[in-house]
Amino acid sequence: MTYKSSDICGMTWQEWNEAMAEELNKAGFKAKAFDGQKWTKTGKYDAGDDPKLFVLGTIEDANAITYLKDIGLLNNGRCPMCGEPIIGKPGRFTSGYDPNFHFQICQNCVNSRGGMRRSTPQSGGCLVALLLLPWELMKALWQLL
C-alpha cells in the first residue's frame, strides 16, 4: 500500500508506528530479537507502547527506512521523532553509524537535538583552504628555486 501525507497525518502517532511495523513485517523485514543467548534478526517488528522508541529504537536497518520512505510512511510530512506535522523546510536525521539511515524530521527536533539548520552554509573549511592557498603556492615556488 502507498500512503499519502493526509493518511499519516490523520493517524495518531501510535497508529502510525503500528502501520510502519505492519508494513515492514508484510514486506519480510526482520527486527532484532533476543533468543535467550544472543541477538538475532529473526523477530517481527512491534510498535511497542512508546512511539518515541519505534523509528530510532526498534528499526536499525537502513533498507527498512528506505522501504518506509518508498511507500510513503516516512518523508511524507510528519516527524517520526515527535509525531508532529513538518511545517516548512524539513530537517534531516542521519545515523552516525550508517549514512544510508536517514529521514526527514521537523526543525523543532533539529534545534532541540543541537543539530544544524538545513539552510546553514557549511563553507568554513573552504574558507580556510582559500586563505592557505597563497602560502602553499609561495612555499612550493620557493622549494623549486
Side-chain angles (χ1 to χ4, degrees):
M1 177 175 179
T2 303
Y3 294 83
K4 296 181 282 189
S5 183
S6 59
D7 296 332
I8 63 170
C9 288
M11 299 176 188
T12 66
W13 193 7
Q14 183 66 28
E15 290 169 339
W16 181 33
N17 285 340
E18 288 170 2
M20 285 189 270
E22 181 182 330
E23 292 291 343
L24 290 173
N25 290 330
K26 284 195 302 189
F29 287 94
K30 302 293 181 193
K32 271 189 168 181
F34 191 69
D35 67 5
Q37 296 177 334
K38 63 182 179 178
W39 288 95
T40 59
K41 275 197 143 191
T42 58
K44 292 226 177 258
Y45 280 96
D46 180 13
D49 296 330
D50 188 353
K52 293 177 194 169
L53 301 177
F54 183 68
V55 173
L56 285 177
T58 304
I59 302 175
E60 295 179 342
D61 183 359
N63 293 327
I65 292 292
T66 300
Y67 177 75
L68 292 173
K69 290 189 281 189
D70 289 345
I71 64 171
L73 282 169
L74 284 178
N75 289 5
N76 202 359
R78 191 165 185 183
C79 179
M81 294 181 119
C82 67
E84 296 298 316
I86 296 175
I87 299 168
K89 281 188 173 180
R92 178 173 166 153
F93 172 86
T94 303
S95 169
Y97 300 108
D98 184 352
N100 295 316
F101 188 104
H102 57 82
F103 50 83
Q104 294 175 349
I105 60 174
C106 68
Q107 287 297 332
N108 288 337
C109 286
V110 170
N111 295 334
S112 70
R113 287 165 174 75
M116 299 178 76
R117 294 186 64 84
R118 190 176 207 187
S119 60
T120 303
Q122 302 296 315
S123 59
C126 293
L127 183 59
V128 170
L130 287 173
L131 290 173
L132 292 176
L133 182 64
W135 171 256
E136 292 298 322
L137 288 173
M138 293 299 289
K139 198 165 73 171
L141 285 172
W142 184 257
Q143 288 176 350
L144 288 173
L145 298 176

